[in-house]
Amino acid sequence: MKRFLCSCGLTVFFDDYACTGCGAQLGYAPEMSAFLARPSPQQPFLAPDGNAWKPCRNRIDHRACNWLLRADDPLDFCLACRLNRVIPNLGTEHNLRLWRRTEQAKRRLVYSLINLGLPRAAGDGRPPLRFEFLEDQRSNPDVAESLVMTGHRAGIITINLLEADDVARHAVREQMAERYRTLLGHFRHESGHYYEHVLVPPGLARDTYRELFGDERIDYDAALAHYHAEGPDPTWNGRCISPYASAHPMEDWAETWAHYLHISDALETARATGLIREAPTDDWEAELALWIPGAVSLNEMARSLGLDDPYPFVITPPVRAKLGFIHQRLAAARQDAAVAAAGR
């Protein structure tokens, strides 16, 4: 995450609604990757170029979003909130609180997708990226669904609202014997399923994918059933980033994709806060050379505070190769987009 400033010069953070220094209301303009200020609710947010911006409708109605859209935009919702298909029933304060956390995590994902130049609209026969935030009877006996699984299908990422409940999520983490389970991690993982088909078309790219991750054409349901019945492949820690990644090649891709986003965003934050002095580079191996000792230090600092490791993973040579492949596919997608834009 970048370092953001209020117009008064004070540092502000990605989830802020107001400056603690000058008191100005703040909003994030995603197209500019900057925070804009307004002195009062009756006035627009103004960019340095004089253009006016307006708050997302979800800020006005629910204080659930701090993003902005241009004042002349005919829509009421920002780039992130307009991706929602279903939001939970907001009739209870509990649901509203969990939904705000869910939106907060989603905005961090969308921030990364914008930075990476990834499409979110339909194209080439691909459905648009959309989100559904649902409850099931474990948290609300009045809904029809007995069980809502967090997952992805046909462009729709479904998140069970319980994943925003720290107690419930931790209970599932213990039940599943997972060392890491976060709301943001779910968003990043599920987005990997969507972008696999965007970034890895048939041909040489797909052939390389199969060499690294395995053949995704093997029966998915049978592979997942085997994983849940028998546990992970005993050799997973030599070739995968997590036990779940060994369940199926598509899950290996999604898990590795999530870690690419984890690492990229964490390195951007480390640079923005001065923890890393080296300038960013397109050399992914150089980036990993910064990340790995940084992650070790991060874990040791957390242990000093009596906390769990923030990054309890080992990046083995096979995982490095998979991360490198994702980096290459993103670079190729940016190049293809630039060529297409130049040809218009």
Side-chain angles (χ1 to χ4, degrees), residues 83-315:
L83 300 178
N84 291 347
R85 270 175 44 112
V86 179
I87 63 171
N89 183 335
L90 303 179
T92 69
E93 184 62 31
H94 179 69
N95 271 15
L96 180 58
R97 183 169 64 252
L98 296 186
W99 180 56
R100 284 170 176 161
R101 292 178 187 171
T102 304
E103 290 292 339
Q104 199 173 63
K106 187 194 74 182
R107 287 194 297 273
R108 287 187 176 263
L109 170 67
V110 177
Y111 169 89
S112 294
L113 301 182
I114 292 172
N115 279 359
L116 292 170
L118 290 168
R120 300 169 303 284
D124 300 326
R126 180 183 67 250
L129 179 65
R130 293 293 183 265
F131 297 90
E132 295 185 351
F133 307 132
L134 304 176
E135 298 177 87
D136 62 30
Q137 292 176 358
R138 292 175 297 172
S139 58
N140 184 354
D142 295 328
V143 299
E145 295 82 3
S146 60
L147 180 66
V148 170
M149 299 295 293
T150 290
H152 167 268
R153 183 180 294 274
I156 299 171
I157 292 176
T158 300
I159 301 290
N160 190 314
L161 198 63
L162 270 177
E163 292 295 340
D165 185 310
D166 294 337
V167 174
R169 189 179 63 256
H170 185 80
V172 175
R173 194 186 87 170
E174 292 297 308
Q175 179 185 355
M176 301 291 289
E178 297 172 336
R179 295 192 65 191
Y180 179 92
R181 188 183 184 95
T182 68
L183 185 55
L184 179 55
H186 282 310
F187 275 103
R188 287 174 170 165
H189 173 99
E190 300 305 339
S191 73
H193 289 302
Y194 180 79
Y195 285 106
E196 176 188 334
H197 302 289
V198 176
L199 296 173
V200 192
L204 181 60
R206 183 57 64 171
D207 293 341
T208 305
Y209 170 103
R210 289 170 181 159
E211 291 174 6
L212 292 168
F213 297 93
D215 192 335
E216 82 287 355
R217 294 168 294 187
I218 65 174
D219 190 294
Y220 180 83
D221 291 337
L224 266 290
H226 181 271
Y227 173 84
H228 289 299
E230 305 295 334
D233 186 309
T235 67
W236 74 265
N237 58 354
R239 58 185 182 85
C240 298
I241 192 66
S242 70
Y244 186 59
S246 70
H248 188 275
M250 290 193 296
E251 296 301 340
D252 194 5
W253 162 273
E255 283 285 89
T256 309
W257 167 266
H259 281 264
Y260 183 90
L261 298 185
H262 289 334
I263 294 168
S264 299
D265 194 30
L267 285 175
E268 183 181 61
T269 303
R271 288 186 167 104
T273 55
L275 293 175
I276 291 178
R277 301 294 182 183
E278 291 85 351
T281 171
D282 196 46
D283 182 346
W284 181 247
E285 282 299 314
E287 294 294 279
L288 280 181
L290 293 172
W291 168 248
I292 292 172
V296 171
S297 297
L298 186 65
N299 289 342
E300 288 300 320
M301 289 176 66
R303 293 175 188 181
S304 297
L305 297 172
L307 302 173
D308 293 339
D309 288 356
Y311 194 78
F313 304 97
V314 177
I315 299 178

